[in-house]
Amino acid sequence: MTSAEALREAARAGRYRQFELSSHALQRMKQRNVTRRDIGLALSSATSAAHEGGNKWRIDGGTDDDGEPLGVVIVFTGRGLVVTVF
Amino acid sequence: MHCHECNGDKFERRNVELTTRVGEHTVIDRSVVRPVCAKCGEFTVSAETLEKVELRATLVAFTEAPRVTGAMLRFARKTLDMTQAELAERIGTTFESVSRWEREERQMEPWVPLAVLGLVREKLMPPPTGVELKKAG
């Protein structure tokens, strides 16, 4: 998978809310006051994807509902699995 | 199926504890059943399930908190997956009002939390299909 493909896949997962969240991601969301909508918006508005090994990608440049930067680390296996947010 | 954390392959279905922050409040939901990794305790939750958890948390917070704050309204709007303009249109106001309520620059009128609660209830329990209203003859 190329960066462009990862970005496209992330945007699709975000737009159609087709992702799963790990328990760590849920914990981080609570700490940062981030909702499901914020993750969807961050994925669909992201501008860069960096490969972190295996099927794991760091999706960056997206913003949440408040227009604040929100990055997402996602594993593409079937539905995207959000492992953390930053 | 393998655990994404430890690669374990044994899972047990049980209730997981999901904590949601609704403004100044925390709501704990123990109603969701998920396959939990027997080795490390890891589990995942789908975006659809999380939507229901967020809606239930909003319902509980709006019903039980002493007052609905701007941060709670903002959380509710995001849970309804709406922009300020979309929420304003649904409850018959302007997006400027929604923005001011969320930032606590203006006090919410008592009908606002009730209107938002109505939208949350509607999303959690859509109106029944196949039921028709007719004028009594």
Side-chain angles (χ1 to χ4, degrees), chain B residues 34-136:
Chain B
R34 297 292 302 148
V36 179
C37 175
K39 196 172 160 190
C40 72
E42 175 63 6
F43 62 89
T44 64
V45 170
S46 70
E48 293 94 328
T49 300
L50 185 61
E51 178 190 17
K52 290 188 176 73
V53 169
E54 289 178 347
L55 286 166
R56 283 198 294 263
T58 306
L59 190 67
V60 168
F62 270 52
T63 309
E64 294 185 12
R67 89 177 178 97
V68 172
T69 63
M72 289 168 69
L73 180 66
R74 179 185 295 261
F75 181 86
R77 173 180 60 77
K78 284 158 68 166
T79 291
L80 289 164
D81 215 353
M82 289 181 188
T83 62
Q84 290 177 335
E86 285 165 344
L87 178 64
E89 195 187 331
R90 285 299 302 273
I91 64 173
T93 187
T94 62
F95 85 88
E96 288 92 347
S97 293
V98 173
S99 174
R100 286 190 192 122
W101 291 327
E102 286 188 356
R103 286 181 279 135
E104 303 237 327
E105 288 177 2
R106 187 177 142 190
Q107 200 175 346
M108 261 178 260
E109 286 88 347
W111 62 267
V112 176
L114 294 174
V116 173
L117 207 47
L119 295 176
V120 170
R121 286 208 172 101
E122 186 183 288
K123 202 158 183 186
L124 266 173
M125 199 171 64
T129 53
V131 183
E132 191 183 353
L133 176 71
K134 276 193 166 182
K135 195 175 169 85

Side-chain angles (χ1 to χ4, degrees), chain B residues 12-27:
Chain B
E12 49 194 42
R13 284 184 70 80
R14 61 176 163 90
N15 291 76
V16 294
E17 188 174 288
L18 301 170
T19 309
T20 309
R21 209 170 118 192
V22 186
E24 300 76 4
H25 302 275
T26 294
V27 180

Side-chain angles (χ1 to χ4, degrees), chain A residues 13 15-27 29-39 41 64-66 75 77 79 81-83, chain B residues 4-5 18-23 26 34 41-48 50-51 54 71 74-75 77-84 86 102 123:
Chain A
R15 193 170 307 119
Y16 299 109
R17 307 290 193 259
Q18 286 182 341
F19 52 86
E20 299 257 331
L21 299 119
S22 71
S23 56
H24 174 74
L26 292 168
Q27 186 69 23
M29 286 170 71
K30 188 181 71 174
Q31 285 166 356
R32 289 202 49 186
N33 221 0
V34 164
T35 65
R36 180 192 70 109
R37 172 177 168 82
D38 291 312
I39 303 274
L41 291 174
D64 65 13
D65 183 77
D66 301 318
V75 178
T77 48
R79 300 182 96 200
L81 170 65
V82 174
V83 289
Chain B
H4 71 98
E5 276 292 323
L18 301 170
T19 309
T20 309
R21 209 170 118 192
V22 186
T26 294
R34 297 292 302 148
E42 175 63 6
F43 62 89
T44 64
V45 170
S46 70
E48 293 94 328
L50 185 61
E51 178 190 17
E54 289 178 347
R74 179 185 295 261
F75 181 86
R77 173 180 60 77
K78 284 158 68 166
T79 291
L80 289 164
D81 215 353
M82 289 181 188
T83 62
Q84 290 177 335
E86 285 165 344
E102 286 188 356
K123 202 158 183 186

Side-chain angles (χ1 to χ4, degrees), chain A residues 24-78:
Chain A
H24 174 74
L26 292 168
Q27 186 69 23
R28 292 282 297 137
M29 286 170 71
K30 188 181 71 174
Q31 285 166 356
R32 289 202 49 186
N33 221 0
V34 164
T35 65
R36 180 192 70 109
R37 172 177 168 82
D38 291 312
I39 303 274
L41 291 174
L43 286 171
S44 55
S45 64
T47 54
S48 71
H51 191 213
E52 293 211 328
N55 294 320
K56 194 190 278 190
W57 289 81
R58 182 188 166 105
I59 309 295
D60 238 327
T63 53
D64 65 13
D65 183 77
D66 301 318
E68 296 294 323
L70 181 65
V72 177
V73 175
I74 190 166
V75 178
F76 292 115
T77 48

